[in-house]
Amino acid sequence: MTSQPQPERLGSEEVRHIAALCRIGLTDEEVEQMRDELTSLLGEVRVVQGVDTTGVEPTGHAVEVDSVMRDDEARPSMTVEEVLSNAPVREGDYIRVQAVLEE
Amino acid sequence: MATPLHYMSLRELSDALHRREVSSVELATAHLDRMEEVEPRLGAYLAVTGNLALGQAEEADRRLSEATGGPLTGVPMQLKDNISTTNVITTCASRMLEGYVPTYDATVTRRLAEAGAVLLGKGNMDEFAMGSSTENSAFKNAANPWDTARVPGGSSGGPAVAVAAGEAVFALGSDTGGSIRQPASLCGIVGLKPTYGLVSRYGLIAFASSLDQLGPLTRTVEDAAMVLNAVSGHDPLDSTSIAQAAPDYTKDLDQGVKGLRVGVVREYFGDAVDSGVARVTHQAIARLEELGAEVEWDVSLPMSDIALAVYYILAPSECSANLARYDGVKYGFSDQETDGMWAALEATRRHGFGPEVRRRILLGTYALSAGYYDAYYLKAQQVRTLIRQEFAAAFKKVDLLVTPTSPTTAFRLGERVHDPLAMHASDICTVPVNIAGIPGISVPCGFVDGLPVGLQLLGPHLSEPTLLRAAYAYQQSTDWHTHHPEL
């Protein structure tokens, strides 16, 4: 394992790009703060890049699991009332949302 | 002096309930009274379900009077607030789920209800189980009952405090990188993270799906085995649930450790580990040796040092995917002030998530994004294979590994909350276990300056019977579990 140099401070454009990908709004001040915090966190985790993993298969789950199928049988599902019971804004039997298609 | 009701073990209380020496209603009432007394100083609960508990207790008393109850019937407990409970608020200690009321039970909730356990309420935690001190709870801090100026650990801080302070007989927590074992250690109780897939995750609100596992927090090892009996076993609703029948974990507890090969992992006693913690842990291992275990005092697992880095790539990556569902449309917090769908979505996620959750989503999104996926996420998954293989090789030579559970005793509230790297370091002894999917248990093994220390025992996949047997043998030879905080 070799130690990695500290990564360069993340650019503000890069932080904005990441924030846009995961749809978290950030103020300009928060972008600046995240540049430092993410840079320091990336410095912490970059040490993995020093490990020789030639020919090593990745592990997704630590315990072997196969795809699980069930029989295609009809069975009860939640009622409309249950599904809508936590809706932030309800209109009749619908969830009200902002317009998706712009005019 | 006789042990007060709220500090008796699950085994003792279960026996007393079945002998009808105490009723479930009396037990629930005693715990609700205890909560009224100590909860303002401790913050173990986000919701108390007093009326529900008394109703369940009456039903339990009916079953007990008909002699149809099981070992958990009538026993009051707490569930961490990321475990879904029908008609009972489940917030993950997040503004994002403030007011969220599930319409279905987690499998563990259903199994415990069927077993007749009585729900006292929902346990405080770090928001979405991300943290090691419970200070990331959006609603309130929890305090360590041994010193209320200190943290209880996390993320299952509420469950650990409730059990340590006599506010519940047992609790169920979740453990993604140490979130059951580390708070159990810091609060002086037993915490078990079972093998990945042994306990169904259905209805556990997801953080990092390949690492999350549910497990018990109890005051004794025997109690942990009793709770594991009730919640383990195959569940068709969780595709990663192990498809085999779970044994009776209480059966061979008293078989001792004679001839058991136990390895002491050198890397877990490095510079980060407090000298007092290391001393107490070594004394506990010497006790195992006196009890007949064959101790291999210098086992090396060199990949241990890299596990924290692997964890802080994998867990945020999985969290960024799992938490993408919080869009303010179908449930949860929803910003209604902002115009425009995308702007409202960004505002919902900005205000609904706290700083640590936002940080992890951003870090995980970065690690999964185009251009960085191979260097971070894929690389971490490859190193994960090496960590798994290293554990597997060690378990060819020894039956169990022993380490400290936490590198330090409970730290002060506020001490690490603004320093994510220092907070992450709290997990160095526990995260490798989740990465490898193996089981681990923390059992009280002494005190340093009046604060509890935990001994961590690790075994290969599905070695819970051996793990519990060794922890039980150790606990029976000590009286640490009979020490309780003065409140």
Side-chain angles (χ1 to χ4, degrees):
Chain A
M1 191 192 322
T2 54
S3 67
Q4 300 288 309
Q6 269 299 311
E8 275 178 43
R9 189 165 181 248
L10 278 187
S12 52
E13 279 316 302
E14 197 153 22
V15 171
R16 283 183 212 283
H17 171 64
I18 297 297
L21 287 176
C22 59
R23 300 287 174 194
I24 290 182
L26 294 179
T27 63
D28 290 346
E29 197 184 322
E30 285 167 336
V31 167
E32 283 307 304
Q33 195 186 335
M34 276 300 161
R35 287 179 67 188
D36 289 332
E37 291 184 1
L38 288 178
T39 301
S40 124
L41 288 167
L42 288 168
E44 181 189 30
V45 301
R46 264 165 56 113
V47 289
V48 299
Q49 291 164 5
V51 181
D52 182 4
T53 52
T54 316
V56 177
E57 290 291 316
T59 294
H61 274 82
V63 174
E64 293 297 325
V65 282
D66 295 322
S67 269
V68 178
M69 311 289 267
R70 69 169 174 88
D71 294 334
D72 186 18
E73 288 167 351
R75 53 185 189 187
S77 56
M78 281 186 204
T79 64
V80 171
E81 281 308 312
E82 283 173 334
V83 170
L84 292 175
S85 63
N86 281 292
V89 193
R90 179 178 175 171
E91 209 171 288
D93 278 352
Y94 297 92
I95 293 168
R96 186 179 178 86
V97 295
Q98 296 212 32
V100 176
L101 298 174
E102 282 156 27
E103 285 171 26
Chain B
M1 199 177 71
T3 309
L5 214 53
H6 58 259
Y7 280 141
M8 284 167 70
S9 71
L10 167 54
R11 164 57 70 197
E12 290 166 333
L13 290 169
S14 177
D15 290 348
L17 283 163
H18 282 269
R19 287 196 299 262
R20 314 293 292 142
E21 291 164 7
V22 65
S23 74
S24 179
V25 169
E26 282 169 344
L27 214 47
T29 306
H31 280 83
L32 293 167
D33 290 347
R34 174 74 175 167
M35 281 153 67
E36 206 152 295
E37 184 194 336
V38 299
E39 188 54 11
R41 283 171 282 158
L42 297 180
Y45 281 82
L46 289 178
V48 176
T49 50
N51 289 335
L52 174 72
L54 291 171
Q56 289 180 334
E58 279 176 27
E59 172 59 25
D61 281 330
R62 244 190 314 278
R63 281 173 72 176
L64 289 160
S65 70
E66 294 160 2
T68 56
L72 299 192
T73 306
V75 178
M77 52 117 189
Q78 189 208 63
L79 296 174
K80 188 177 181 180
D81 206 28
N82 56 355
I83 299 172
S84 299
T85 43
T86 306
N87 295 331
V88 175
I89 198 162
T90 301
T91 69
C92 284
S94 180
R95 295 276 170 221
M96 189 59 96
L97 288 176
E98 193 170 11
Y100 170 68
V101 181
T103 53
Y104 63 97
D105 277 336
T107 294
V108 291
T109 305
R110 185 175 49 76
R111 286 187 179 172
L112 286 169
E114 284 166 5
V118 171
L119 182 66
L120 292 171
K122 305 297 293 288
N124 200 359
M125 55 187 282
D126 284 299
E127 181 177 4
F128 282 103
M130 298 176 199
S132 311
S133 69
T134 312
E135 290 165 293
N136 294 334
S137 170
F139 304 117
K140 61 182 176 186
N141 279 342
N144 193 304
W146 294 92
D147 177 351
T148 53
R150 292 176 186 271
V151 302
S155 64
S156 308
V161 173
V163 172
E167 296 184 89
V169 181
F170 71 91
L172 222 55
S174 64
D175 188 318
T176 305
S179 283
I180 289 172
R181 292 159 288 153
Q182 184 256 17
S185 171
L186 269 45
C187 290
I189 59 167
V190 174
L192 171 67
K193 184 211 92 80
T195 301
Y196 181 82
L198 185 64
V199 178
S200 168
R201 291 182 294 112
Y202 178 76
L204 166 68
I205 297 177
F207 159 18
S209 303
S210 85
L211 304 163
D212 295 343
Q213 184 57 195
L214 288 151
L217 295 98
T218 56
R219 289 190 289 268
T220 75
V221 174
E222 183 181 21
D223 292 358
M226 291 171 72
V227 178
L228 189 60
N229 273 351
V231 297
S232 60
H234 182 244
D235 177 17
L237 297 176
D238 174 359
S239 65
T240 59
S241 165
I242 295 171
Q244 68 181 62
D248 176 359
Y249 293 101
T250 61
K251 197 165 132 275
D252 293 322
L253 282 178
D254 58 359
Q255 296 300 299
V257 293
K258 201 152 274 168
L260 212 62
R261 296 165 305 166
V262 175
V264 184
V265 192
R266 183 198 307 167
E267 286 78 9
Y268 287 72
F269 291 90
D271 292 342
V273 177
D274 173 77
S275 60
V277 169
R279 177 174 44 79
V280 165
T281 309
H282 277 127
Q283 286 164 358
I285 300 166
R287 173 58 61 91
L288 283 170
E289 196 168 39
E290 286 162 28
L291 293 169
E294 290 171 18
V295 177
E296 183 81 52
W297 282 94
D298 192 17
V299 172
S300 178
L301 298 179
M303 296 301 294
S304 305
D305 295 334
I306 204 106
L308 199 63
V310 171
Y311 180 81
Y312 278 101
I313 294 171
L314 295 181
S317 296
E318 294 186 21
C319 124
S320 73
N322 273 325
L323 273 61
R325 73 190 63 174
Y326 300 102
D327 55 10
V329 172
K330 298 183 290 298
Y331 52 84
F333 173 74
S334 183
D335 181 287
Q336 298 292 323
E337 311 297 315
T338 309
D339 278 332
M341 183 186 72
W342 294 116
L345 174 52
E346 292 190 355
T348 291
R349 291 167 64 78
R350 172 178 139 78
H351 296 296
F353 293 133
E356 177 66 13
V357 174
R358 285 205 303 266
R359 204 154 40 224
R360 292 205 196 184
I361 292 174
L362 286 161
L363 179 63
T365 303
Y366 180 92
L368 292 175
S369 65
Y372 297 109
Y373 181 89
D374 286 2
Y376 287 96
Y377 188 67
L378 184 64
K379 187 78 182 181
Q381 285 195 315
Q382 289 175 308
V383 181
R384 183 177 192 179
T385 303
L386 296 176
I387 292 171
R388 208 167 51 114
Q389 288 170 347
E390 193 174 84
F391 272 114
F395 289 128
K396 287 198 173 121
K397 298 187 187 119
V398 296
D399 298 303
L400 300 177
L401 295 167
V402 283
T403 78
T405 306
S406 163
T408 66
T409 54
F411 41 95
R412 291 187 177 281
L413 282 155
E415 189 181 311
R416 300 186 189 176
V417 74
H418 297 299
D419 184 352
L421 296 189
M423 191 68 88
H424 294 175
S426 317
D427 305 331
I428 52 170
C429 300
T430 46
V431 295
V433 177
N434 301 74
I435 290 169
I438 59 175
I441 190 168
S442 180
V443 56
C445 71
F447 293 85
V448 172
D449 298 331
L451 297 169
V453 177
L455 174 73
Q456 183 177 233
L457 298 155
L458 311 175
H461 291 155
L462 298 175
S463 64
E464 280 82 358
T466 315
L467 213 54
L468 287 160
R469 173 157 66 94
Y472 181 81
Y474 173 77
Q475 187 160 71
Q476 290 303 108
S477 79
T478 64
D479 66 356
W480 305 122
H481 58 294
T482 65
H483 294 239
H484 301 294
E486 279 175 33
L487 285 160

